[in-house]
Amino acid sequence: MKCKKIVKKAEEFKLKRLKVILMVAASALLLVACGSSNNKSAGTTSNKNTQLTGQAGGKNYQGVIKDGHYQTSKSRGVDIQQNDNQFNLKGFQNGLLGISKQNFSTNKYVFQEGQYISTDTTEKWLDRKSKQNPEGLNPSQQKGKVTPMYLQQIDEQDFLVPDGNKTTMKGMTIGLGINSVYYYTKQKYGSQYQQKIPDDVVEKQGKEMANTILKRLRQNKELKNIPIVIALYKQAPNDSLTGGNFFASSVNNPGTTSVNSWKPINEKSYVFPIADGSKGPNTNDLSAFNQFKSQIQNFFPNLSGITAQAQYKGKQLQGMHINITTQFYSQTEIISFTQYLQNAAQKYLPANVPIDITVKSTDGIQSFLNRNSGGKTFSSHVFNSY
């Protein structure tokens, strides 16, 4: 009987002990939950949810990855469906990134594709203004008149600052692509006509739209107190062999709701060789390209064409993209040609600027050569098949 009482007391003690352990565990879980709730209310994002892509050198931004996915732009790729010149799109995006780097250091800021101007909003802004679409930035169609669509494309770039286990929105760049030529039809599926838009009208329309967009962006509480850079891009015509160029930018300090000042951008792209006897901004660069072109055409007869896109700031060459189309079929021919190109480019092309050379045929890219800014030699790669 005494033994049974002892066993019973031992079991009661175990039950009490188990209750205490469960109460402590429950309290701990409650504390964790409270802590988690407090972190969320403070706007902190866990490192497990937000990651950076890493940085290869200091010239480019690290990108933001959220919940295991790269955040694609909500506004990029939306345009008014009259842009048949792909050079415009590339020049617009690359040039806008260059402007961003001048204002948001790649060492301090990380890059996020535009997340604040939605696809739906972009479509409304790019459309004509009407009763159905009061947000349209392009003018309403006037009866009996050709009314150009001026605004062609919008791109948004966001810049954040990492701080421990969170990233905070600290800056934004907006690019506006303005048409220099308006393409239109008088009836559905009819002949296409075009109307050139004068430079002063391109500038006037771009600046007015930039002012409207800045006011709209400031209505978002997250964008009220950050610097917003706006840059204006003049679209090249559809038949141009180069893209357009940025011609003005404005840095708008936190809190400002109107654009107070613009900084002119003196950039332009040229195609070498220049047709119709026209001259480029620097005859030495054109002469150097022509020498390079002549040398490789003499050495290798199976060439269909050699052209270059040269980017200038004022009269100073900023870089060059050279495209060579071949009729080669032999792998050994491509290897020999690439080796010769490497020497000829080093000897004849302008020094101290970034230059890339793409060799392609009807079968695709055959080889690629590249020299970075300030580099002394060209690196090359021949594409093989296995």
Side-chain angles (χ1 to χ4, degrees):
M1 188 71 178
K2 191 173 183 180
C3 289
K4 287 183 179 180
K5 287 183 179 180
I6 293 172
V7 170
K8 188 177 180 181
K9 286 183 179 181
E11 288 176 351
E12 289 175 352
F13 176 75
K14 285 180 181 180
L15 285 172
K16 288 180 181 180
R17 186 179 178 187
L18 181 59
K19 287 180 181 179
V20 171
I21 291 171
L22 289 173
M23 289 176 65
V24 171
S27 299
L29 286 171
L30 183 62
L31 287 171
V32 169
C34 290
S36 176
S37 176
N38 288 338
N39 283 342
K40 287 179 181 178
S41 65
T44 301
T45 304
S46 169
N47 274 330
K48 292 181 180 179
N49 297 326
T50 302
Q51 298 172 287
L52 301 179
T53 59
Q55 192 176 40
K59 293 184 178 180
N60 292 308
Y61 294 103
Q62 295 190 75
V64 175
I65 299 174
K66 287 187 177 179
D67 298 321
H69 299 283
Y70 183 75
Q71 304 296 292
T72 57
S73 173
K74 294 182 178 179
S75 61
R76 191 187 62 196
V78 181
D79 56 37
I80 60 172
Q81 303 299 322
Q82 73 152 43
N83 189 6
D84 292 332
N85 185 345
Q86 290 302 307
F87 294 122
N88 273 329
L89 184 60
K90 292 181 180 179
F92 179 64
Q93 292 177 350
N94 291 334
L96 189 64
L97 194 59
I99 291 170
S100 293
K101 289 177 182 179
Q102 295 172 14
N103 295 279
F104 304 107
S105 169
T106 57
N107 294 324
K108 179 180 177 181
Y109 296 88
V110 296
F111 174 83
Q112 178 177 266
E113 303 278 2
Q115 298 298 303
Y116 290 88
I117 305 177
S118 68
T119 301
D120 181 62
T121 298
T122 303
E123 289 173 348
K124 287 179 179 177
W125 289 4
L126 290 176
D127 204 355
R128 292 188 183 277
K129 187 174 184 178
S130 64
K131 289 182 179 179
Q132 295 74 26
N133 182 35
E135 295 180 42
L137 292 171
N138 278 302
S140 57
Q141 179 65 58
Q142 302 296 313
K143 287 185 178 180
K145 286 182 62 178
V146 176
T147 310
M149 298 275 279
Y150 297 108
L151 185 60
Q152 168 68 31
Q153 56 180 331
I154 300 173
D155 196 16
E156 172 198 342
Q157 297 176 350
D158 299 338
F159 298 95
L160 299 79
V161 173
D163 180 17
N165 64 345
K166 66 177 181 178
T167 54
T168 306
M169 181 69 175
K170 288 293 186 180
M172 175 184 284
T173 300
I174 299 292
L176 305 182
I178 315 297
N179 287 319
S180 62
V181 177
Y182 173 54
Y183 298 92
Y184 64 98
T185 57
K186 294 182 179 179
Q187 58 186 14
K188 196 173 183 179
Y189 306 119
S191 300
Q192 187 182 71
Y193 299 87
Q194 63 182 57
Q195 178 178 303
K196 190 178 186 306
I197 302 173
D199 287 349
D200 60 334
V201 177
V202 171
E203 182 176 351
K204 178 176 179 291
Q205 290 290 332
K207 289 181 176 180
E208 287 179 358
M209 291 174 183
N211 213 41
T212 302
I213 287 174
L214 180 61
K215 288 179 181 177
R216 292 179 181 180
L217 292 174
R218 292 299 191 200
Q219 292 173 7
N220 187 322
K221 62 180 182 180
E222 292 184 59
L223 307 179
K224 278 187 176 182
N225 296 306
I226 63 167
I228 297 179
V229 177
I230 302 179
L232 305 179
Y233 181 84
K234 177 186 172 184
Q235 303 266 140
N238 285 347
D239 59 357
S240 174
L241 295 176
T242 66
N245 58 278
F246 282 95
F247 61 89
S249 68
S250 175
V251 180
N252 302 283
N253 295 325
T256 56
T257 56
S258 62
V259 181
N260 294 320
S261 63
W262 290 94
K263 178 182 176 182
I265 300 174
N266 186 16
E267 293 181 352
K268 192 172 182 181
S269 296
Y270 293 83
V271 176
F272 291 166
I274 296 179
D276 304 325
S278 302
K279 293 183 178 180
N282 190 319
T283 54
N284 291 334
D285 297 334
L286 179 58
S287 176
F289 171 78
N290 287 336
Q291 282 185 291
F292 169 77
K293 180 174 180 285
S294 177
Q295 284 294 316
I296 60 177
Q297 281 180 326
N298 289 337
F299 193 82
F300 283 87
N302 296 329
L303 302 179
S304 301
I306 304 171
T307 60
Q309 297 173 22
Q311 175 76 20
Y312 281 86
K313 182 174 286 186
K315 292 186 176 183
Q316 188 67 39
L317 180 66
Q318 302 297 300
M320 191 181 289
H321 300 291
I322 299 175
N323 290 290
I324 302 175
T325 305
T326 77
Q327 297 176 9
F328 297 153
Y329 296 101
S330 165
Q331 187 69 17
T332 53
E333 282 183 311
I334 291 292
I335 292 171
S336 297
F337 183 53
T338 303
Q339 290 171 339
Y340 184 77
L341 279 177
Q342 202 163 2
N343 292 324
Q346 183 67 30
K347 183 175 181 180
Y348 294 105
L349 293 177
N352 302 318
V353 294
I355 296 176
D356 61 60
I357 304 171
T358 303
V359 180
K360 55 188 176 182
S361 70
T362 54
D363 294 328
I365 297 176
Q366 303 296 325
S367 66
F368 179 79
L369 299 91
N370 169 262
R371 184 188 68 195
N372 294 325
S373 179
K376 295 183 178 180
T377 59
F378 281 81
S379 60
S380 66
H381 178 76
V382 176
F383 293 88
N384 298 315
S385 60
Y386 294 97

